[in-house]
Amino acid sequence: MAQIFSRSADRRLRILAGPIILCAIAGIVGLKWYVKNQEEKIGLVVAQPIEFSHRQHIENTELICADCHRGAHDGPQALLPGKSICLECHDDLFRGTPKLQPLHEAKAKGLAINWKPVSKLPEFVHFHHGVHFEANVECSNCHGDVSKMESVSRAKPLTMDFCIDCHRESQSGENSSTKQAVSWQRDLTDCSVCHY
Amino acid sequence: MADSTSPFTDHTPKLWRRLDELNDEQRNITERAKKLFPQLTKSMLIDRRTALRLMAASAALAAASGCADNSSKASEQRMGGKSKGPVEDRYTLLNQNGTAFGVVVRTVGGNPVKIEGDPDHPASLGRSNVQAQAALLSHYDPDRIDLPRLGGKETDWKKCREFLASFSEKGIGEGLHILLQPTASPTLERMIREVKQRLPATRFYQYRPIPLNNIIPPIDYQSNNLVISFGCDFLGAGPGQVRHAADYAEFRRNDRQESKLIVVESVPTLTGAQADEHVILEPRQLEQFIQALNEGDITNIAPQYRDLANAIINEPRLLLKGNGISANAGEIAKSLGAVELQSPQLFDDSQCADISALHKALEQDEADHLMILGGNPVYDAPARLNFAQTLSRSRVASTYLGSEWNETAGLCSNYISETPELAQWGDLRSFDSSVGLRRPVTSGTGMTAIEILSHLAGIPESGEMLVRKTYDAPDLPVEQLAQKIRSSTNAANNMNPPPSGKVQKPLGIMPDNRFALVFAPSPHIWDGSLANNSWTQELPAPLTGLAWGNAASIAASTAEKLGLKDGDEIEISLDGASIKIPVIQLPGQAENTLGLPLGYGRKMAAIGSVIGHGVYALFNGNFVEQGALVTKTGAHHDLIFADRFMAADDDKAVRWVTSETEQLRRKEEAPSFFDPEYRAEKQWGMVIDLDICIGCNACTIACQAENNIPVVGPEETAAGRAMHWIRVDRYHRGPAENPDTAFQPVPCMHCELAPCEPVCPVGATTHSSEGINEMTYNRCIGTRSCSNNCPYKVRRFNWFDYQAPDRNVGMSTEGQNPRVTVRDRGVMEKCTFCVQRIEAVRLGDDKGGEDGMPVTACQQTCPTQAIIFGDLADAQSPVAKARAEPRNYSLLEDLNLKTRTTYLAKQTREV
């Protein structure tokens, strides 16, 4: 009866074993990197219904975030501005500019401007924007330096790791710039701070 | 646990939950398991190979089903929850059996998401009942029809208005007959007068199965330490339940030893469960008992009740009579009553004839057009009238105004959809006669009875203007209008009910084989109007534990005599009519008597169709009937018990003490290594006072509304998968003929040494620094180890995607509480101490209670305020004070789990 494995079978296996293991490791690392990127979405630019430059609005005017994002300082959500907020200035200002035409069109037709959020958390995370402002968390900690951005892209990962790092530092006192902003001090790493 | 070395002082005799437990001394766990899960006994016969095959197949299938991501799409649809718009609290009145129940409706972006009682309303006092909570789900009824139908064809509102206006244009209303559902509304009374003025020949009738006008006004317990109820279930379901329960709790709390409640009845009720002395008599005996009291002759009274009878005759007392006794007994009780409560007439029915007059008119073909404004007479009219047949036989054209497509709508030629309850304008008297304003808290299309009447009267106007005109305030701002209505002299009719003039027939001597029937509205679906509401259907009835159906209650001894077990079907015939219904044995029920819950067996009620068994075929407006013949049919129904599968296995789950100072706790604290470090400022805890818990189930349904708890349906409920986070367990002690009854609400105990936490492989359930046993849904992988390890059985598992938007039985997305995550399939959930409310107060989004502390949904709703929640770290907080009371104890205390939820023992009078 003929042998199932030839003489060289064992040798060939030894030669191949190395590359197979390497491929597997590379695959796992690659997959992890891919998943991480998918989750973090850093640098993600979201197309907006009206081309809007944060840089121009911040550099050339005295506007602060809360002038347009009306909930940013004290509300549960920062809120994306409705057309009436834009029109507070732009009803007169640069009225003829072609870039602003979608805004006036929306007003004429009674439509809402469908801004697309860039920093969005899943529905099982309860995040209170105003509390983080009260706690002296810099806007750029989560949003990057928006004042330099022509079109806003995601600057930070916004994963649970990212959130909890800051909560841990704040809890242990490593990060002295932030403070617990709410009454009734408790551990900032309790699950129910965000999940319920 | 019940051995003599137990470190507790305890007077509690053996507790039992069901009759079969009472005689089951062995309590063999296998036998009990077989009884609880009959379907499992079959699987015990499987051989090893089949078991392995099944395991292999299920492992493969489980892996296969894991490939599809079925959750993300559903979550996506449910999203938006958090950005639904501004939060606003709006005040209005709900219509409960025709009277007002004041509520505050929380709306998010204009959509109602939670209903709470209005603290300033006399019927609610800021608390609420099952029906008020369930109104939220009814608001999102997916089967609602928005457009009117004329001649069977959908049409628009303009045509509908023209159709209505045509009545006022031709003639004087000859042949127009209107059947109203009596509602305590001054504007409705005014509109009836207006129609009569314009169309003098119009004839009005009224019908409501549970009469509106004999409701008991708030009880003044002042100077009355002895309260006697003759079949008056004032703590049972109804528009007055919350106020009555609140007053009652105050009455008992003040002096337990001095006050006394005696309940005389045939079929046990929630009021009977609270009684110090519970007299159980067949209706006929009950009549004799009252007769004997009236004559002052106690020699005819059974010896065990003679002392009691003497007390009733001689001592100053408050006497209440209700629907649980025969009409004749009620008359005698009236003449016996030194104190008789005068119920004011809430609806002026002098302009409306009885429904039997309408029946006559239909039979004699006097009517050209019948207009039925609300109600569902085809389903619930007195059986002897055979209303459905009369209506379909007569050639009368008919129009029906209703909020759902039901039996009556099916028989009428035209259908006008009623404005959703939360979008109506109107005014309503409360059961204490004060009047208030109903105003829309959200938008909705439709018409109301007053609007239809205004069209008939030729003065078509909106509901808002009609109400304003009643109070002569055409352009007052709404708040001032509400104020004006509240203080208006139009408030009460203050008419005493006219003497009926009818001679009440005494119950005759009953032959041995005949039965007495006692009808009562169902505790949750009421007269049947809430049958299409899955929250109320799935809520287990407080005394029987039945969900998704009803059964005739029967005394255990009578059942034995007839050879009946729970679920066996009987045929009941009375005066030529008959129904078939399964029986359930009920502890504390009189012999030869059947208790029949109204409201089930609807034929056209969307999800409520063909659920349970209808008993209206025997109902003629008398709540007590006698002389029914009962035969066993041999058929069997599997009754659905939502509460059978979950119980803390504690022999002393409910404890009784005979004085307030009696020490219940361990005599000395056992030595312990447990040395917790309480880092957080607040340490949350809950105490539930069993002494004033009346078992009304309002907490369960309030929790369901607040926490987006799904409805699982009858099949899943039967399998023990109901999702309620707080259940109300029922315990009895003493003999089956007349036991003590206690109710115990069981939420998560939030153990400091929680057995569920160490067994979670992924850390989905953890402990917060404030003492909350947290559940992190997005981490849960569904091993169910935690539930297995929980001795209190308070954890609930999403076996299926119960919240899928296409299931159509639960809450629609707009009505979900945006502050609570909607759970997907395969996730464990349980009571969170309403952590979203704690966070909302902490973050300043909500005010919390009067002291600025968070209030849980169950606590806010509890009619007797038996649930106390707050900060245990503050020794002055109500919860810390309650916990320090000698009556305080934990469930399964011997396990030493350091529960954050504890109970206060029930108190009994010293004998």
Side-chain angles (χ1 to χ4, degrees):
Chain A
M1 202 181 87
Q3 295 289 335
I4 299 173
F5 294 108
S6 68
R7 271 164 189 273
S8 55
D10 190 48
R11 191 165 35 90
R12 265 188 280 160
L13 180 70
R14 281 164 202 251
I15 294 168
L16 278 174
I20 288 173
I21 292 169
L22 279 178
C23 280
I25 292 172
I28 291 168
V29 170
L31 200 68
K32 263 204 116 164
W33 177 81
Y34 174 75
V35 168
K36 192 166 176 265
N37 260 343
Q38 283 291 307
E39 274 174 3
E40 294 179 350
K41 292 184 183 137
I42 291 182
L44 177 86
V45 182
V46 183
Q48 301 292 353
I50 299 175
E51 218 176 290
F52 179 87
S53 165
H54 273 85
R55 183 193 57 77
Q56 202 159 46
H57 282 82
I58 298 167
E59 268 183 8
N60 301 343
T61 67
E62 285 177 357
L63 288 174
I64 59 163
C65 306
D67 285 335
C68 301
H69 301 286
R70 297 269 160 101
H73 288 188
D74 46 15
Q77 291 163 297
L79 301 177
L80 300 172
K83 60 176 184 289
S84 59
I85 293 175
C86 306
L87 287 166
E88 278 174 23
C89 303
H90 285 295
D91 213 5
D92 309 320
L93 204 59
F94 307 129
R95 197 180 165 105
T97 319
K99 275 189 182 174
L100 282 176
Q101 284 325 297
L103 176 66
H104 296 296
E105 214 169 284
K107 189 199 172 189
K109 289 185 181 163
L111 299 172
I113 306 171
N114 201 6
W115 296 115
K116 299 278 191 302
V118 174
S119 309
K120 198 168 136 190
L121 293 170
E123 87 272 25
F124 51 78
V125 180
H126 294 262
F127 176 85
H128 196 287
H129 202 275
V131 161
H132 290 82
F133 178 81
E134 295 267 314
N136 292 341
V137 180
E138 293 290 327
C139 300
S140 60
N141 278 15
C142 305
H143 299 292
D145 193 356
V146 176
S147 65
K148 301 258 159 32
M149 291 185 196
E150 204 59 54
S151 54
V152 170
S153 63
R154 195 188 267 202
K156 295 289 164 76
L158 301 189
T159 57
M160 181 163 147
D161 255 349
F162 174 78
C163 298
I164 205 101
D165 276 348
C166 192
H167 275 226
R168 274 203 193 107
E169 283 167 19
S170 197
Q171 178 68 31
S172 64
E174 275 172 63
N175 184 345
S176 54
S177 64
T178 56
K179 53 166 191 182
Q180 278 219 24
V182 291
S183 47
W184 310 341
Q185 306 275 309
R186 44 96 185 258
D187 278 7
L188 285 176
T189 48
D190 284 348
C191 300
S192 60
V193 171
C194 310
H195 302 297
Y196 45 84
Chain B
M1 266 179 266
D3 56 339
S4 54
T5 57
S6 167
F8 303 104
T9 58
D10 190 14
H11 303 272
T12 313
K14 192 184 152 193
L15 283 179
W16 49 278
R17 284 160 57 80
R18 292 181 307 279
L19 282 163
D20 49 2
E21 273 183 17
L22 182 60
N23 308 316
D24 182 17
E25 282 298 333
Q26 294 290 321
R27 304 196 62 154
N28 175 320
I29 191 143
T30 325
E31 288 307 310
R32 272 168 64 210
K34 277 184 188 170
K35 241 180 216 169
L36 270 180
F37 304 97
Q39 65 272 41
L40 282 187
T41 48
K42 284 183 208 138
S43 60
M44 281 174 186
L45 301 172
I46 288 176
D47 61 86
R48 189 178 135 272
R49 280 182 173 227
T50 320
L52 283 171
R53 253 183 232 133
L54 285 172
M55 273 169 64
S58 37
L61 285 171
S65 72
C67 298
D69 179 14
N70 77 330
S71 61
S72 56
K73 223 179 233 168
S75 305
E76 210 44 45
Q77 264 170 297
R78 293 165 198 159
M79 254 294 287
K82 286 191 280 176
S83 49
K84 283 198 281 194
V87 177
E88 215 180 307
D89 289 336
R90 300 172 183 170
Y91 290 79
T92 189
L93 303 174
L94 294 179
N95 174 347
Q96 293 200 344
N97 206 46
T99 66
F101 190 89
V103 290
V104 194
V105 181
R106 165 148 302 185
T107 58
V108 175
N111 292 314
V113 298
K114 185 79 185 21
I115 295 177
E116 304 287 3
D118 174 359
D120 295 327
H121 193 266
S124 92
L125 308 172
R127 313 162 194 187
S128 58
N129 56 11
V130 169
Q131 285 75 21
Q133 292 293 333
L136 181 69
L137 185 64
S138 292
H139 179 75
Y140 294 101
D141 178 10
D143 304 304
R144 183 188 296 281
I145 297 169
D146 282 331
L147 287 172
R149 293 181 180 186
L150 296 181
K153 267 189 231 129
E154 206 159 87
T155 176
D156 55 35
W157 287 106
K158 193 168 160 260
K159 288 219 176 77
C160 177
R161 293 208 163 87
E162 283 166 12
F163 161 73
L164 290 170
S166 68
F167 285 94
S168 68
E169 284 152 15
K170 55 183 187 213
I172 52 165
E174 190 66 50
L176 177 60
H177 293 237
I178 299 174
L179 174 62
L180 287 167
Q181 197 182 28
T183 304
S185 156
T187 303
L188 180 68
E189 286 163 6
R190 181 172 77 84
M191 292 321 297
I192 296 173
R193 285 194 298 271
E194 298 272 4
V195 172
K196 283 207 158 175
Q197 210 164 29
R198 173 76 183 233
L199 309 169
T202 315
R203 284 201 259 163
F204 280 92
Y205 309 90
Q206 53 118 348
Y207 180 67
R208 194 182 266 283
I210 318 296
L212 161 69
N213 272 340
N214 64 1
I215 189 171
I216 294 181
I219 299 166
D220 182 11
Y221 290 98
Q222 238 175 4
S223 75
N224 282 300
N225 280 331
L226 178 60
V227 178
I228 300 146
S229 149
F230 288 120
C232 175
D233 186 18
F234 59 96
L235 296 179
Q241 181 184 33
V242 174
R243 174 66 181 275
H244 285 315
D247 290 346
Y248 170 78
E250 247 357 273
F251 162 61
R252 290 327 289 268
R253 230 194 297 250
N254 286 344
D255 201 338
R256 190 78 199 186
Q257 294 306 324
E258 289 303 311
S259 61
K260 189 170 185 178
L261 173 68
I262 301 174
V263 177
V264 186
E265 61 188 4
S266 310
V267 173
T269 60
L270 289 186
T271 312
Q274 292 299 316
D276 298 287
E277 305 262 12
H278 197 195
V279 180
I280 295 162
L281 295 167
E282 290 173 36
R284 163 93 189 128
Q285 295 168 338
L286 205 154
E287 204 172 294
Q288 287 166 345
F289 181 79
I290 300 180
Q291 183 71 47
L293 292 178
N294 195 28
E295 288 162 3
D297 175 16
I298 60 164
T299 49
N300 288 337
I301 289 173
Q304 74 263 34
Y305 297 137
R306 278 188 194 155
D307 285 350
L308 210 85
N310 260 328
I312 298 178
I313 294 171
N314 298 321
E315 281 173 32
R317 79 288 200 225
L318 183 72
L319 202 134
L320 312 167
K321 74 168 184 68
N323 289 334
I325 56 173
S326 65
N328 182 46
E331 284 304 309
I332 311 171
K334 255 191 203 172
S335 57
L336 174 72
V339 190
E340 229 265 307
L341 283 170
Q342 285 289 359
S343 24
Q345 194 163 2
L346 292 171
F347 172 68
D348 176 12
D349 54 8
S350 60
Q351 307 183 68
C352 304
D354 189 68
I355 191 172
S356 49
L358 171 63
H359 177 252
K360 211 177 278 170
L362 287 177
E363 290 232 304
Q364 293 169 355
D365 257 339
E366 287 171 12
D368 297 328
H369 199 106
L370 172 63
M371 210 164 265
I372 302 173
L373 303 183
N376 189 5
V378 170
Y379 167 71
D380 59 20
R384 74 191 132 80
L385 301 183
N386 211 342
F387 194 77
Q389 215 174 34
T390 320
L391 184 61
S392 51
R393 254 200 222 139
S394 79
R395 271 161 297 160
V396 64
S398 48
T399 302
Y400 176 62
L401 168 80
S403 54
E404 56 171 11
W405 187 261
N406 57 19
E407 292 86 342
T408 309
L411 279 187
C412 288
S413 27
N414 306 319
Y415 176 78
I416 302 177
S417 39
E418 193 175 7
T419 312
E421 175 158 35
L422 295 177
Q424 285 188 17
W425 278 96
D427 53 356
L428 266 184
R429 294 190 188 97
S430 153
F431 79 123
D432 75 339
S433 312
S434 63
V435 72
L437 172 68
R438 301 184 83 184
R439 50 192 135 160
V441 297
T442 180
S443 58
T445 56
M447 289 187 90
T448 54
I450 50 172
E451 285 168 357
I452 288 187
L453 291 178
S454 80
H455 280 78
L456 295 180
I459 40 165
E461 248 164 332
S462 69
E464 177 176 4
M465 277 319 289
L466 293 171
V467 177
R468 286 176 175 279
K469 280 198 175 156
T470 306
Y471 298 92
D472 209 12
D475 39 36
L476 220 53
V478 177
E479 274 313 316
Q480 285 176 37
L481 177 69
Q483 194 61 45
K484 182 168 183 182
I485 292 180
R486 259 203 298 278
S487 56
S488 78
T489 49
N490 204 344
N493 266 2
N494 276 333
M495 285 173 289
N496 294 332
S500 65
K502 270 187 263 172
V503 180
Q504 303 295 339
K505 214 169 59 217
L507 296 175
I509 303 207
M510 194 167 64
D512 272 351
N513 57 348
R514 296 293 175 122
F515 278 72
L517 308 179
V518 178
F519 298 89
S522 292
H524 300 148
I525 71 166
W526 192 242
D527 57 5
S529 48
L530 276 164
N532 183 20
N533 184 307
S534 53
W535 284 358
T536 55
Q537 287 276 12
E538 198 154 294
L539 203 54
L543 286 163
T544 59
L546 279 178
W548 291 103
N550 64 342
S553 60
I554 189 168
S557 53
T558 313
E560 201 179 345
K561 213 165 62 192
L562 292 173
L564 293 168
K565 289 204 171 69
D566 283 358
D568 285 352
E569 192 185 76
I570 52 169
E571 181 164 7
I572 310 170
S573 28
L574 179 76
D575 300 337
S578 77
I579 59 159
K580 286 179 181 168
I581 187 169
V583 295
I584 181 167
Q585 302 169 59
L586 196 55
Q589 177 152 331
E591 290 185 327
N592 303 318
T593 306
L594 293 170
L596 298 174
L598 299 164
Y600 284 90
R602 291 273 307 272
K603 291 196 181 67
M604 292 164 80
I607 63 144
S609 310
V610 212
I611 298 278
H613 297 79
V615 299
Y616 274 109
L618 301 178
F619 182 70
N620 275 311
N622 301 321
F623 286 90
V624 178
E625 293 271 10
Q626 207 178 227
L629 205 59
V630 171
T631 49
K632 185 179 173 179
T633 65
H636 182 86
H637 297 265
D638 287 327
L639 301 176
I640 298 176
F641 295 96
D643 64 346
R644 263 207 181 168
F645 306 92
M646 306 156 223
D649 205 358
D650 188 344
D651 291 335
K652 291 191 284 289
V654 174
R655 301 183 195 182
W656 275 264
V657 292
T658 48
S659 75
E660 275 183 30
T661 50
E662 190 177 312
Q663 191 63 241
L664 253 188
R665 275 196 272 178
R666 284 167 186 281
K667 280 174 186 149
E668 50 194 63
E669 202 62 43
S672 169
F673 287 116
F674 181 61
D675 182 22
E677 179 200 350
Y678 297 117
R679 294 185 303 278
E681 214 176 305
K682 298 284 168 197
Q683 296 298 328
W684 305 114
M686 182 182 277
V687 175
I688 303 177
D689 190 348
L690 299 185
D691 198 34
I692 48 172
C693 171
I694 59 164
C696 67
N697 270 338
C699 50
T700 307
I701 195 165
C703 172
Q704 182 153 29
E706 169 74 18
N707 291 302
N708 300 337
I709 295 173
V711 168
V712 300
E715 294 84 11
E716 292 286 289
T717 308
R721 292 171 179 177
M723 298 294 283
H724 303 134
W725 285 3
I726 180 168
R727 63 173 194 263
V728 182
D729 284 346
R730 178 183 64 261
Y731 289 93
H732 299 288
R733 63 168 191 178
E737 295 75 45
N738 193 353
D740 286 336
T741 305
F743 298 100
Q744 182 172 45
V746 186
C748 174
M749 297 290 142
H750 295 272
C751 316
E752 287 182 25
L753 296 169
C756 50
E757 289 169 14
V759 297
C760 181
V762 292
T765 186
T766 47
H767 224 71
S768 86
S769 54
E770 294 182 331
I772 296 174
N773 175 249
E774 308 157 308
M775 188 65 223
T776 312
Y777 308 121
N778 47 312
R779 271 204 169 185
C780 179
I781 57 167
T783 66
R784 315 197 306 280
S785 321
C786 52
S787 177
N788 186 46
N789 229 27
C790 172
Y792 303 102
K793 293 288 158 269
V794 292
R795 288 178 161 265
R796 303 283 175 269
F797 188 65
N798 287 277
W799 290 90
F800 295 98
D801 195 7
Y802 296 124
Q803 310 256 32
D806 54 359
R807 269 182 96 245
N808 251 6
V809 294
M811 178 53 89
S812 78
T813 319
E814 296 82 44
Q816 305 270 26
N817 183 353
R819 288 184 179 158
V820 177
T821 308
V822 174
R823 283 79 61 187
D824 277 326
R825 194 185 76 171
V827 171
M828 191 61 75
E829 57 185 72
K830 58 152 202 100
C831 159
T832 61
F833 269 170
C834 279
V835 61
Q836 70 281 3
R837 290 188 172 211
I838 299 177
E839 294 303 315
V841 174
R842 189 200 308 272
L843 297 168
D845 290 346
D846 256 347
K847 287 195 302 289
E850 275 168 22
D851 53 357
M853 283 290 129
V855 177
T856 66
C858 52
Q859 177 192 20
Q860 184 165 13
T861 294
C862 181
T864 59
Q865 303 286 282
I867 299 175
I868 311 157
F869 174 80
D871 178 18
L872 293 174
D874 172 10
Q876 292 311 307
S877 70
V879 70
K881 281 184 186 159
R883 210 177 150 102
E885 270 191 46
R887 287 196 289 139
N888 181 68
Y889 73 95
S890 307
L891 199 53
L892 291 170
E893 197 155 35
D894 287 4
L895 294 181
N896 193 28
L897 301 176
K898 311 265 180 213
T899 60
R900 280 288 176 94
T901 306
T902 57
Y903 295 95
L904 297 184
K906 274 184 89 73
Q907 300 182 47
T908 47
R909 287 166 59 91
E910 274 169 279
V911 187

